[in-house]
Amino acid sequence: MAQNQNSDDQGQGGLIAGRPTLPVIGGLVAVVVVGIVLVVVAMGGGGKSQPSGDLAGLAADDVVPTPVATLDLNRPTAVPNVNPNLNAVGNSDRMIIPKIGVTAPLSYKPVGLDGEPPVPDGADDIAYHDFTAWPGLGGAPGKGGNAIFSGHVDSGRSACKNGSVPPPCTAVLWDLKQIVPGDQIEVQISGVSYKYTVTAAESVNAKTAAWEQIYATTKETTLTIITCAGNFSGGEYDKRFIVTAKLI
C-alpha cells in the first residue's frame, strides 16, 4: 500500500508494512486485501521518509505485555459484510476507553477499490473504516460484523492534544497496550451508545500476521482496534497491537 503523499505534514508515519498477495475470497471475482488492510493505517508517528530518533518512534522501547488472551482467528465469519454509510460518523461520534482515559472523535475512512485505507486525520482522532467495497471484511456498530478502528501511538511531526502539545508526543492510543480482556470500550454513533467487552489484546508482526482473519466480518458483533507497537526503524514500527471486543 502506498502511503499518503502528505503523510509528513499530517504526522502519519510508521505505517508501511508490505504488500502481500491479494487472494480471492469465497470464489468472488473481486480480490480482497489480505495482510495489508489496516496493517499500514494510522499506527504510528512520523512519515516513512522521516528519520527516526526524537521525531518518531516514541513507543519503540516500550515492552509489549504478554497477551492474557490471544486473538481468535477461528471465530465464525460472515459474507457479505455489514458496514456504515457515508453519513455514519458525525461530529459528536466518538470512542471511549475509560481505563486509559480515551474520549476520541471518530473520523470516517472508507477503504477504496485500491485497498489503501486512509489514515486518521491526526494524533487525536480514531479512524473508523468502511469496508463496503471489500465483501467479507469489516462491520459497524449497530449493524453487526467486525467494526474496524485504528489510531496513532505517537504523533511524528504533528502536535497532540488539539495542537497544544508540540511533537514528538504521545497520540490517542499510546496506552492501548494497557487494555486486557474484561475491560470496557464504548462507541457512540448517531446518538446511540454501543458497549463492548474486550476479548483479546495481542501484539502481532506487521507483515506476517493473519490479517485476513483479523479483519474478517464476524457473525458475532465485534470490534477491532489497531495501533503500532514494537521496534521503530527506517520510519516504521514492526508490530501492531490489536484489541478485539464483543458487543455486550
Side-chain angles (χ1 to χ4, degrees), residues 70-78 146 199-200 202 210-220 222 244:
T70 56
L71 307 175
D72 180 7
L73 300 181
N74 296 313
R75 55 190 174 179
T77 58
N146 179 18
T199 55
E202 181 181 4
W211 294 108
E212 179 180 7
Q213 292 96 322
I214 291 170
Y215 297 110
T217 304
T218 53
K219 288 186 177 180
E220 187 176 23
T222 62
T244 59

Side-chain angles (χ1 to χ4, degrees), residues 188-214:
Q188 297 178 351
I189 300 286
S190 301
V192 181
S193 176
Y194 302 94
K195 295 184 178 181
Y196 296 77
T197 298
V198 173
T199 55
E202 181 181 4
S203 178
V204 301
N205 186 289
K207 294 182 179 180
T208 63
W211 294 108
E212 179 180 7
Q213 292 96 322
I214 291 170

